[in-house]
């Protein structure tokens, strides 16, 4: 009959999944506000990588950065596979939230737009999604949420700092790869807008931070330049936070990507 005559519609492109890391995409919901106080509850897709065996394994929540506006629409699912490989080999489950305003939820609602003013709303929204991911991870029998680490790159590093400042249950440490916000590597290399907002906010939330952090920055970071990260670190430590700062020599065209391009150094 006519049913058989219909042409097969091509399905979506096959999802890239690292089978040996048991990679899969799971979803929960998160509720966040933007800088104008608008609140939305939206899906939070998360990529999971995990070791062989049943666990339960300790957890790393790893957070992505924020592409410059012209490239944000095409910022797809974040797959930090090399980092995940390293961490899974160490015995961690790695959970990677694709935060609201990116990938599937890119569109009219952008809770991480700071307008180069206060970084508090974006920091709260981003860290809220880390906490939603950890809450979801409690339902996964192979995850031990009594021992978890938050980590991330660029705005994901900012997310790690913001999460540590909230001192959530079970958190044992944080890693900040090239964290910050407001960078424009094309038009103002090394000179982010309003770096003082980051200095002020990180100094302020450090008093509530209880766990140690590791901060990793590269000298030729085209988003922040060589000096802003040191100022931010001083504000954090002066404010009562614990963080070891590790500065690396210039690498490649832009040290902002040192997480991927200089892995042998930070390992």
């Amino acid at each position: 009959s006519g049913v058989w005559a219909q042409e097969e519609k091509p399905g979506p492109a096959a999802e890239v999944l690292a089978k040996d890391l048991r990679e899969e995409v799971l979803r929960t919901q998160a509720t966040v506000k933007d800088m104008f106080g608008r609140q939305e509850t939206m899906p939070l897709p998360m990529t999971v990588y995990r070791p062989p065996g049943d666990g339960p394994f300790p957890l790393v929540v790893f957070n992505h950065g924020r592409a410059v506006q012209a490239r944000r629409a095409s910022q797809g699912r974040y797959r930090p596979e090399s980092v995940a490989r390293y961490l899974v080999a160490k015995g961690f489950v790695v959970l990677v939230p694709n935060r609201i305003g990116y990938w599937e939820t890119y569109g009219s609602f952008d809770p991480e737009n700071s307008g180069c003013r206060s970084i508090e709303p974006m920091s709260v929204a981003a860290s809220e999604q880390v906490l939603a991911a950890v809450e979801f991870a409690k339902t996964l029998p192979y995850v031990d949420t009594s021992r978890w680490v938050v980590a991330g790159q660029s705005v994901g590093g900012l997310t790690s700092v913001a999460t540590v400042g909230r001192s959530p249950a079970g958190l044992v440490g944080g890693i900040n790869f090239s964290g910050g916000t407001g960078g424009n590597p094309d038009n103002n290399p090394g000179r982010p807008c309003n770096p003082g907002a980051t200095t002020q906010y990180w100094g302020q939330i450090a008093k509530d931070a209880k766990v140690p952090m590791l901060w990793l920055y590269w000298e030729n970071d085209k988003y922040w330049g060589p000096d802003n990260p040191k100022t931010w670190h001083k504000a954090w430590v002066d404010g009562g936070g614990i963080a070891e700062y590790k500065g690396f020599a210039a690498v490649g065209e832009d040290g902002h990507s040192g997480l991927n391009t200089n892995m042998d150094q930070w390992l």
Side-chain angles (χ1 to χ4, degrees):
S1 72
V3 174
W4 301 107
Q6 288 177 3
E7 284 186 40
E8 287 278 313
K9 287 200 179 104
E15 186 73 271
V16 179
L17 296 168
K19 295 266 167 50
D20 61 320
L21 296 177
R22 303 167 85 177
E23 180 180 0
E24 60 180 327
V25 181
L26 303 175
R27 285 173 176 78
T28 187
Q29 296 270 314
T31 302
V32 293
K33 286 182 183 171
D34 68 8
M35 64 185 286
F36 307 108
R38 174 181 160 195
Q39 181 171 298
E40 295 280 353
T41 300
M42 297 180 85
L44 180 65
M46 297 164 292
T47 300
V48 186
Y49 302 93
R50 57 185 172 122
D54 297 332
F57 304 103
L59 173 69
V60 176
V61 181
F62 201 90
N63 299 281
H64 64 75
R66 178 175 176 84
V68 291
Q69 191 162 3
R71 300 195 200 112
R72 204 166 306 133
S74 58
Q75 192 173 341
R77 180 169 71 91
Y78 181 53
R79 300 185 65 252
E81 191 180 323
S82 352
V83 179
R85 236 166 236 298
Y86 170 71
L87 292 168
V88 167
K90 292 274 185 199
F92 289 95
V93 168
V94 181
L95 195 56
V96 186
N98 256 90
R99 298 189 304 278
I100 292 166
Y102 303 89
W103 191 35
E104 295 182 343
T105 58
Y106 175 82
S108 60
F109 183 60
D110 182 8
E112 294 178 20
N113 172 23
S114 70
C116 264
R117 296 197 282 269
S118 165
I119 71 161
E120 181 169 3
M122 71 183 296
S123 297
V124 172
S127 56
E128 201 61 53
Q129 293 170 81
V130 172
L131 301 185
V134 173
E135 202 54 41
F136 174 80
K138 290 178 181 174
T139 69
L140 302 173
Y142 52 84
V143 180
D144 175 6
T145 53
S146 73
R147 300 180 297 154
W148 63 281
V149 171
V150 65
Q153 191 262 344
S154 193
V155 168
L158 172 145
T159 302
S160 299
V161 176
T163 304
V164 170
R166 296 179 71 157
S167 196
L171 183 68
V172 296
I175 308 170
N176 162 18
F177 291 93
S178 311
T181 186
N184 190 327
D186 300 325
N187 299 343
N188 287 302
R191 297 176 61 197
C193 67
N194 202 0
T198 302
T199 307
Q200 183 187 358
Y201 187 63
W202 285 1
Q204 176 192 325
I205 64 171
K207 65 181 183 298
D208 298 318
K210 295 186 174 64
V211 301
M213 294 196 77
L214 176 61
W215 289 23
L216 307 162
Y217 287 86
W218 282 260
E219 188 77 11
N220 64 327
D221 188 315
K222 282 192 175 173
Y223 282 71
W224 326 130
D227 299 325
N228 284 310
K230 293 169 188 159
T231 303
W232 297 336
H233 175 256
K234 184 178 188 308
W236 181 257
V237 173
D238 288 351
I242 310 156
E244 178 188 345
Y245 183 95
K246 181 67 184 171
F248 294 106
V251 63
E253 284 294 300
D254 181 2
H256 192 65
S257 306
L259 169 72
N260 296 318
T261 60
N262 201 216
M263 196 165 177
D264 55 335
Q265 283 290 332
W266 67 257
L267 287 187

